[in-house]
Structure formats: C-alpha cells, structure tokens
Amino acid sequence: MHPSCMRSHREVTPAMTEKNAARLDWEQRIGLPSDQPLAGTAGLPAPTGLRSEDGTGHVLLDWQPVEGALGYLVHRADTVDGPYEPLDHQGGDVLAVPAPPYADTLVEPGRGYWYKVASWTDAGAGPLGADCVRGCPRAPGLRPPEVTVAVDAAAPAAPLPGVWNRMIGAEHLSMLVRDEPGPGGSDVAREYADALGLVRDELGVRTVRAHGTFLPECVAVADDGSFDFSGLDEVYDAFLATGLKPVIELSFMPAALAADPEYTVFEYKGIASYPRSWERWGELCRELTVHLRERYGADEVAGWEFEVWNEANLEVFWNGTQAQYHLLYETAVRAVKDVDPRIRVGGPGSAAAKWVGPLLEHCREQDVPIDFVSTHTYGNAPLDFRPQTRSFAETTGRPEPEILWTEWGVTPTHFHRVSDSVFSAPFVLRGMKSALASTDCLAYWVATDHFEELGRPPRLFHGGFGLLTVGNLRKPRYWALRLLSGLAGGRIPAAVSGDGAEALTESLATRAEDASTVDVLVWNGTLDQTKTDGAAALDRTATVVVEGLPADARYALTLHRVDEHHSHIKAVWDGMGGGDWPDARQWAELRAADRLSEEALETVTAGPDGSVSVTVDLPMPGIRALRLTRV
C-alpha cells in the first residue's frame, strides 16, 4: 500500500483558475451569487421517541421517522450536557443513516454515552431535539449472544426488486480496446471484458456506468468544428459485444470546447471545465445522440440512460458553480430530448447525496425534463430521496423521477484495505436491503480492479474498488452480491430478534414459486470501519426458524459461508506468503480456491407444526446463506 495513494478520489484537486464571463452571464440570468445553493430543506424537526438498548459490544438506538427526512444524523456525548458530536463510523462520506435502528459500535463496554438524533436532508442536518437517551454497552460473555431469524414460508411472496443488478460501475470503457500489457502482465482488454461477462452472468447486471464518454480517444473535434465519434464507435462496439447496455455519462469536456482545458482530474486527465460555449455543448450532446441512434438503432438507444456529468458539486470534478451545472444539465437534456424524447436523462450524479433537491427545484421552475435523479455515497447505506421525488411529481403533475444511486461502495478512498476485506461483504447486503424500498438502483462502484484514476494497480491485493481483482478473482463483496442474486423466488417475511437485531444482524428470505425451495440469507456487520478486522464482542449465534412448511416434509439443507476463513481469496493469498503478483503456480492455486464455500448439512424434517430450526455461528463480519430444498 502506498501511503501517498491513500487519498479519497474526491480529494485530487487541480489548480484553480479564474472563471470567465460565461459564469457571470449565467449568474445574472438566475440572479444568484456564485456560491449560494438554489434550494434546501434543512431545519426539519428532530425525531421523537428516541430510545436506547444496551447490547453486547454496542448500543442500539431507535426513533420515530420524520416526514420529509432523507436520513438521520446520530450525535453522541460523554455527559448529558454535551457537547454532542456526530458519530463518524469512518466510512469517509455521508454520516447520516437512512433509517433506524442504528447500532453504535464505537464504544467501550461498561462506559456510558448520551445520544441525540437530528433529521437530515441534502441541505444538511436539522436541529438536535430535546430528547436524549443514555446507553452503556455490555462486555462479551463466554459465548456469543443469540439472535433468532423467524421466517414465514407460508406468507404471500412479494417481488424482490433487483436494485443491485440493474447497474454497475466500471472504469472508462476505452480500456476494452487497449492493446498494451497491464498490471502484473495482464491483458487488460480481455480481462475487462471477462469481468463484465462475470457480473452479467453471475450477478445479473444489465447496464454499466463509466466515466469518460468524451475523452480524446472517444471523441475528436475537427478544425471545422465537426465531431468525430469513430473512437467511441470502436469502444462501444467492443462494449455492446458483452451483451450489456451503457449508461451514457455526458463527460468530460473536450479540450476544444472547454473554458479551461488545463483543469483536469485523474491520471488520464479528464477535463473538468465548464464549456466556453453553451451552444457548442448542446451541439455535442445532440450530435452524439444522433450518431448513436444511427449506428445502434433508435429503439436500442431509446432504452439507454443518459446522465449529465459526474460529481459537479466537487471542485475536483467541476470548475463552475451549481448554477452553471444547472445550465449544463438543461442544455444537455433539451438537446438529447430534441432528438428522441424517449431517452431517459437525469442528474446531478453528485457526490455525498448533494444537489438533488436543487436540481429538482430548477427543473420545476424552468420546466426542464428530468427522468431520474442520481447521486452517490460511500461507507453507508443509501439515503431515502422519495420525499423529494414525490414532492416534485405532486407539484408538477409529471411522473415521479426514478432514484438511481449511480455510485455506491464501502469506501471512497483509493487503495484502502477495507475493499479487499470480509467486512465489506455484509456491508453490501446491508446497503442493498436498505435500498429495496427506497431506490430503483444501487450501482456498486466498480466491477473490476482494472481501474486507473490514480494510477494502475501496484499489486494483486491493493485495496482496489473492484468486486474482482486483476485476474478476475472474486472478493468477499462479490460473493455477497452472488448470494443475493441466487435467492430463488419472491421475498417472504424474515424478522430478526435478539442482541443487535436489525442493526447488526439482518436477514432476507425468499420462497420459490413452486415452494420447493426456501432461501434464508443472514449477515452480521457494522458501519464502523474501525472494526474492519472483526470484533469478538459483535459475534453472534443465529437460530433460523422457518415456519409454514408442510408438516413432516423433508428438506436437503445447504450452507454457504463468507467470513475470515471462508470465501475470502485474500486470506488464501496471505496464506501463500503474499507478495505483489502471483507466479504461474500461484495463479493456479488461487483460481482453484476462488470458490464460494458450500457445505451440505444433514437433511431436516419439518415438525408437525410445519417448522424447521437450524443454528449457525455468525461472526462479525460474516454471512450465512441457508437453502432448504424439498426432497
């Protein structure tokens, strides 16, 4: 690990330059000072009904939801009088959580803490309320505490929305046509394509979002001002051959159009400048749309999403103002819709769950089309933007925009060891379960460690963002999504009770349409990244009770495990002595070990009451997946 590379991909700040007249023109048009937000809903009341429960290795907090809140910010103090500071679980991004309950694991057993909670929107946290509670975590005993997962197999099955496989992130797609050796002597183009094939076939992924549609290798601007898309044709031909669909991110700015061509980001120097001419920006977006329709078919392109820019709320990715971003968005969406109104366009593609409300407000006031809102967060479950999208639909009479989290992951920091850890596996399941009721898409960032924003991978296990390593070995995060994708049928009730229930230990259960199979997915995790290597105080024993089965029916029982000793490829590499890159023999051993742990347990028989009970160990971090198949 290079300490110099242990930086957030949101902190690579280029030298700033003076803004030109285009900024002033736009500010005069809407009458706002350059740094003033367009809208905000901070100041929502604090939640009521705050309560605490002392748990082993944690304090569990619960409260009543607040109408209009997108999330909640938990504050803690050592005394009842404060000062109260927001809890930082070291995820490196938004600290607010989408909903209760919340388990504070940044604690010492036997020590008392005081808590308050504030409501949160994308404009910030509201005031702290008068309610405060005290919690005192318990020390672990000789045995892990017990939790129970109660599954009702007779209940009507509900659809399980595929929020996890609608979209995934990937590095710029021009890597698919690269013909030079890559990290560790890899064939980048082949491995990149193979990685996309794996997430397509094993995770069910349907679309891919990548930066750099307008990078120089994809789009050139001729001396006469015309646009040459031949490079993009080669890239998209290779990409579409994978059977996946692109999410067209309209970025970065071509040098010939940029107000400041030297304002760049990443090793590959994407230009993060606003355009010199808004008219030319519109022409670029319009001609791109026309070209894609002519090459790939109007009906095909009508099914793709177009997202305007990436994280313009960060200086590193945009040298303009929020108001200028709104003009960028408005110009782009009108250009695309002029060509084909069926194409779905949205934004702001913002960092840290910001700017969504202001963009919706701009679209409401200026009657600008918006089909989806998009934003990003890391190190936390996604927040709930439904209050804003529903309000937009109600006040405009237009369809409610979809909510697409087009980047999400365990950390925003390059080369962070948590990305190779088991800790990240239950984190993924926690986030995906949270997203089921509040979003339309939660796209993990990214598919593969073939990724070069801050340079190429220096070694096999380097804390890369990828679900797959260079060489396409599956990390624990990948197995979490594979288990989620393998759930058969519709969702049935699964309620967790006991120490840390629904905050540390969570569950999802499904039943096949013919009732021949019941799947129960149980995991144990925390948002607290100081526990990346695990915490014995948070280990649990889980008893899964499946009710509603036919009396006396027999079931084969299969157990899959993801933990420090199972389905953990980095542990295999460390056991081989580690190092930078494997040799041929080591690659063969790693590929042989690249398997999801699977164990056939003894056949079980439902009792006269139609229930089956199975007890499993559940370390933190850890995942257990049980499948009951009728025999």
Side-chain angles (χ1 to χ4, degrees):
M1 180 182 305
H2 296 303
S4 63
C5 293
M6 285 290 293
R7 300 177 295 179
S8 167
H9 74 292
R10 296 173 175 169
E11 297 173 354
V12 190
T13 307
M16 296 299 293
T17 60
E18 293 184 1
K19 308 296 191 286
N20 68 7
R23 169 173 179 163
L24 297 176
D25 290 344
W26 175 234
E27 289 160 4
Q28 291 168 2
R29 170 181 164 184
I30 63 171
L32 287 177
S34 61
D35 297 319
Q36 179 179 333
L38 291 183
T41 53
L44 288 176
T48 59
L50 180 62
R51 65 180 183 86
S52 66
E53 181 178 322
D54 297 341
T56 304
H58 75 285
V59 175
L60 188 142
L61 301 168
D62 204 352
W63 56 87
Q64 294 296 317
V66 174
E67 184 177 358
L70 310 183
Y72 303 90
L73 196 59
V74 179
H75 293 67
R76 193 179 76 184
D78 293 328
T79 69
V80 67
D81 296 323
Y84 287 84
E85 299 292 340
L87 275 176
D88 184 354
H89 37 256
Q90 305 298 306
D93 207 301
V94 177
L95 301 184
V97 295
Y102 174 81
D104 176 17
T105 62
L106 285 157
V107 294
E108 298 177 16
R111 179 179 174 182
Y113 303 88
W114 292 88
Y115 297 91
K116 292 187 176 186
V117 179
S119 301
W120 194 92
T121 74
D122 61 347
L128 287 174
D131 285 358
C132 63
V133 296
R134 185 177 185 272
C136 184
R138 298 191 299 266
L142 296 178
R143 297 180 180 178
E146 297 182 358
V147 296
T148 299
V149 182
V151 179
D152 185 356
L160 184 63
V163 296
W164 66 90
N165 58 19
R166 174 169 168 174
M167 184 189 303
I168 202 166
E171 183 59 287
H172 53 97
L173 297 179
S174 56
M175 293 175 70
L176 285 167
V177 297
R178 182 166 293 170
D179 60 1
E180 60 188 49
S186 60
D187 181 335
V188 175
R190 179 183 60 79
E191 288 191 5
Y192 196 151
D194 288 349
L196 295 180
L198 285 172
V199 299
R200 177 199 64 215
D201 295 341
E202 297 185 354
L203 305 185
V205 168
R206 304 190 297 277
T207 67
V208 177
R209 173 187 181 266
H211 299 325
T213 303
F214 297 143
L215 285 173
E217 62 264 33
C218 297
V219 178
V221 182
D223 292 340
D224 63 0
S226 62
F227 300 109
D228 179 357
F229 298 109
S230 57
L232 190 67
D233 293 343
E234 181 185 12
V235 171
Y236 272 27
D237 287 353
F239 171 74
L240 291 169
T242 67
L244 294 161
K245 308 293 186 185
V247 176
I248 310 295
E249 183 190 286
L250 298 176
S251 76
F252 294 95
M253 193 64 65
L257 273 62
D260 183 358
E262 301 302 315
Y263 197 100
T264 64
V265 64
F266 299 148
E267 291 285 320
Y268 52 83
K269 298 189 181 303
I271 299 174
S273 171
Y274 58 87
R276 288 185 295 174
S277 163
W278 298 103
E279 181 179 3
R280 288 288 285 153
W281 166 249
E283 290 173 358
L284 173 62
C285 295
R286 182 178 294 105
E287 292 193 25
L288 170 72
T289 309
V290 170
H291 179 82
L292 291 175
R293 282 162 46 92
E294 290 176 348
R295 186 171 183 84
Y296 300 112
D299 291 341
E300 169 69 20
V301 176
W304 300 354
E305 284 114 358
F306 284 51
E307 184 182 35
V308 182
W309 214 255
N310 173 71
E311 299 191 350
N313 60 313
L314 300 181
E315 274 190 353
V316 65
F317 289 119
W318 180 241
N319 70 343
T321 65
Q322 185 180 62
Q324 282 178 296
Y325 171 75
H326 290 164
L327 180 56
L328 185 87
Y329 174 84
E330 181 177 342
T331 304
V333 67
R334 293 197 190 284
V336 173
K337 293 283 191 180
D338 281 349
V339 177
D340 190 340
R342 297 177 299 170
I343 295 175
R344 298 176 56 77
V345 186
S350 54
K354 297 290 188 180
W355 284 21
V356 172
L359 179 60
L360 286 171
E361 184 66 19
H362 176 77
C363 292
R364 179 179 9 239
E365 292 181 351
Q366 302 296 326
D367 193 26
V368 178
I370 185 165
D371 298 303
F372 62 86
V373 295
S374 60
T375 189
H376 309 155
T377 194
Y378 287 86
N380 206 339
L383 302 176
D384 186 354
F385 274 90
R386 290 175 299 172
Q388 291 186 350
T389 57
R390 288 174 178 172
S391 174
F392 177 85
E394 290 168 358
T395 56
T396 62
R398 293 155 62 180
E400 182 179 351
E402 285 193 298
I403 301 170
L404 309 183
W405 292 82
T406 52
E407 281 187 31
W408 177 73
V410 68
T411 180
T413 303
H414 288 258
F415 310 111
H416 194 307
R417 66 190 187 91
V418 73
S419 294
D420 296 329
S421 71
V422 174
F423 178 96
S424 60
F427 168 88
V428 165
L429 295 182
R430 175 188 178 93
M432 293 300 176
K433 181 182 179 183
S434 177
L436 290 175
S438 63
T439 71
D440 297 288
C441 167
L442 186 57
Y444 202 89
W445 187 262
V446 289
T448 166
D449 275 350
H450 280 297
F451 192 82
E452 53 188 24
E453 286 183 352
L454 295 188
R456 297 184 179 183
R459 60 185 63 84
L460 179 61
F461 290 102
H462 60 282
F465 288 136
L467 297 169
L468 298 158
T469 69
V470 172
N472 289 333
L473 302 172
R474 299 162 181 85
K475 301 183 189 180
R477 286 173 289 141
Y478 184 96
W479 291 126
L481 291 174
R482 181 68 185 89
L483 288 169
L484 188 58
S485 301
L487 294 174
R491 184 179 179 183
I492 54 178
V496 184
S497 59
D499 195 347
E502 305 295 358
L504 296 172
T505 303
E506 298 178 273
S507 182
L508 277 173
T510 60
R511 185 191 65 236
E513 186 174 352
D514 62 2
S516 63
T517 302
V518 175
D519 285 322
V520 184
L521 192 55
V522 188
W523 60 92
N524 185 5
T526 172
L527 295 177
D528 170 14
Q529 293 195 16
T530 70
K531 306 295 189 299
T532 295
D533 296 323
L538 302 179
D539 291 347
R540 299 293 184 261
T541 298
T543 298
V544 178
V545 180
V546 182
E547 300 176 327
L549 301 170
D552 302 321
R554 298 177 67 247
Y555 291 88
L557 189 60
T558 303
L559 173 67
H560 296 285
R561 291 188 281 187
V562 181
D563 57 35
E564 291 293 336
H565 306 291
H566 302 88
S567 314
H568 184 15
I569 195 66
K570 184 178 185 299
V572 176
W573 177 237
D574 291 343
M576 295 165 59
D580 288 347
W581 297 102
D583 58 26
R585 177 187 60 80
Q586 291 171 322
W587 272 120
E589 291 183 26
L590 287 168
R591 297 197 189 286
D594 185 25
R595 300 289 183 270
L596 178 62
S597 169
E598 180 175 325
E599 180 181 356
L601 304 182
E602 292 184 5
T603 299
V604 294
T605 302
D609 62 350
S611 69
V612 164
S613 178
V614 181
T615 299
V616 295
D617 69 309
L618 188 59
M620 199 305 294
I623 300 172
R624 298 292 182 261
L626 290 165
R627 168 162 285 187
L628 285 73
T629 305
R630 189 166 182 178
V631 294

